[in-house]
Amino acid sequence: MSEPRITLPQWDELANLGDELLPLLPTALLIALDEYPQLDAARYDRMLQAHADHLHTEVGAISEWPLKVAAINHHLFNELGYSGNHDEYYDPRNSYLNEVVARRLGNPISLALVQIDVSRRLGLPLQGISFPGHFLVRLPVEEGVLIMDPFNGGRPLSVEELRERARANLGGEVPDDQVLAQILDPAPHRAILMRMLRNLHGVYVERQEWDRAARSADRILKLAPQQADAVRDRGLAYLQLEHLAGARTDLARYLKMEPEAGDAAAIRERLIDIGGERPRLH
């Protein structure tokens, strides 16, 4: 069995890391550390390594990648019981990796991260897909790519089903081969982690937990400081918390970044209301 190898990064160093150096599992656990300050990252690293160790001999004896990943999926989703939390989809615990590993429940992106991490420990280059709607995973194979749905037991998806799923999120338009291929491009680590944080932000806005909503937007900016929507979202959360100085700074910055945005007029009115901007006289 492999020794624990995990070291959590620091938030302030992430923006300067290229995607190839941005660690997926450690940063996902760093996100969880905000909510669970006593989190023992090595414990969850050991748990995921135990999944891989259990599969090492079986997967090593299989030559074809699709059959290897089928064995991994069977262990994760059938034997260990990882599953999508259909009943409480918007429970924030579905986005915190420590809770996902402990409860064996998650949302599409957190379950994908477990599937990706265990597969990579076993030598399979599983990748994430920022598919519209539910996050998916992909595995390069001789015939092209194998697309799977971690929220539904790692089930492989046909081209026809992928087109139909995409159509539902593209205004009813069925994507052609070129558009579908672009949608199925692998997601960089930074995009995966930002999507996790956006999920959390949406959950906390719905619950009106504005401190956590502000934190989620702030963490997106730690990964990608020029994300205008995260600047706006943090400013709006600050406004709800009556942190007016922070709200003024963020909302003014958002308008400078996106002066022609569809919500620019509404944001400008908010800013005027809190004394951050006055109408210009001509």
Side-chain angles (χ1 to χ4, degrees):
M1 181 176 291
S2 302
E3 290 298 319
R5 53 174 176 75
I6 196 162
T7 300
L8 299 189
Q10 299 295 314
W11 279 113
D12 290 339
E13 69 187 25
L14 297 179
N16 295 322
L17 291 179
D19 196 73
E20 69 283 356
L21 298 177
L22 185 61
L24 188 56
L25 175 66
T27 308
L29 288 170
L30 183 65
I31 291 170
L33 188 65
D34 279 334
E35 187 67 17
Y36 302 90
Q38 304 305 315
L39 181 145
D40 179 1
R43 176 190 176 198
Y44 299 98
D45 184 50
R46 286 193 299 269
M47 292 173 74
L48 291 171
Q49 186 61 49
H51 298 346
D53 289 339
H54 178 87
L55 287 158
H56 180 77
T57 300
E58 178 184 359
V59 171
I62 301 172
S63 58
E64 297 182 8
W65 280 7
L67 297 179
K68 286 178 182 284
V69 78
I72 294 169
N73 288 345
H74 179 76
H75 182 58
L76 291 178
F77 299 112
N78 295 97
E79 297 177 348
L80 294 178
Y82 282 96
S83 63
N85 193 344
H86 295 266
D87 295 333
E88 296 181 293
Y89 187 85
Y90 296 104
D91 187 328
R93 292 177 294 178
N94 295 332
S95 290
Y96 291 119
L97 202 66
N98 59 318
E99 290 281 6
V100 175
V101 174
R103 299 169 69 228
R104 309 283 167 86
L105 279 174
N107 58 25
I109 196 164
S110 62
L111 292 170
L113 201 148
V114 170
Q115 192 182 10
I116 288 169
D117 184 78
V118 172
S119 297
R120 289 181 179 178
R121 291 174 194 252
L122 292 164
L124 270 71
L126 208 62
Q127 301 164 315
I129 303 172
S130 286
F131 200 82
H134 281 185
F135 197 86
L136 302 174
V137 298
R138 52 176 274 161
L139 179 69
V141 295
E142 290 183 2
E143 301 80 11
V145 288
L146 174 63
I147 311 297
M148 292 164 284
D149 180 359
F151 193 64
N152 291 289
R155 182 172 66 85
L157 301 175
S158 67
V159 172
E160 291 73 21
E161 185 170 355
L162 289 166
R163 287 192 202 281
E164 185 62 24
R165 287 193 179 197
R167 182 191 66 79
N169 292 278
L170 295 175
E173 183 176 348
V174 178
D176 59 23
D177 289 347
Q178 183 177 358
V179 171
L180 185 61
Q182 291 174 346
I183 292 173
L184 296 175
D185 278 345
H189 287 183
R190 182 170 271 102
I192 295 173
L193 295 161
M194 288 168 61
R195 185 159 170 170
M196 291 183 74
L197 286 162
R198 285 195 173 100
N199 286 346
L200 281 167
H201 175 266
V203 166
Y204 288 134
V205 167
E206 183 67 24
R207 292 177 168 220
Q208 298 186 17
E209 296 183 28
W210 300 111
D211 54 343
R212 290 179 167 91
R215 182 183 70 198
S216 301
D218 179 74
R219 293 321 196 190
I220 293 172
L221 293 169
K222 293 294 188 183
L223 287 163
Q226 298 307 313
Q227 287 291 307
D229 60 340
V231 173
R232 175 203 61 206
D233 291 344
R234 186 176 65 182
L236 292 173
Y238 282 162
L239 188 57
Q240 294 290 337
L241 293 167
E242 299 186 358
H243 176 23
L244 299 187
R248 282 193 291 266
T249 298
D250 277 351
L251 296 181
R253 181 184 170 200
Y254 173 69
L255 291 175
K256 288 181 180 179
M257 297 171 79
E258 298 287 343
E260 304 301 324
D263 60 354
I267 295 298
R268 191 169 287 109
E269 287 300 317
R270 293 269 190 117
L271 196 53
I272 291 170
D273 287 343
I274 58 174
E277 183 175 288
R278 294 285 180 246
R280 294 179 181 177
L281 298 178
H282 297 281

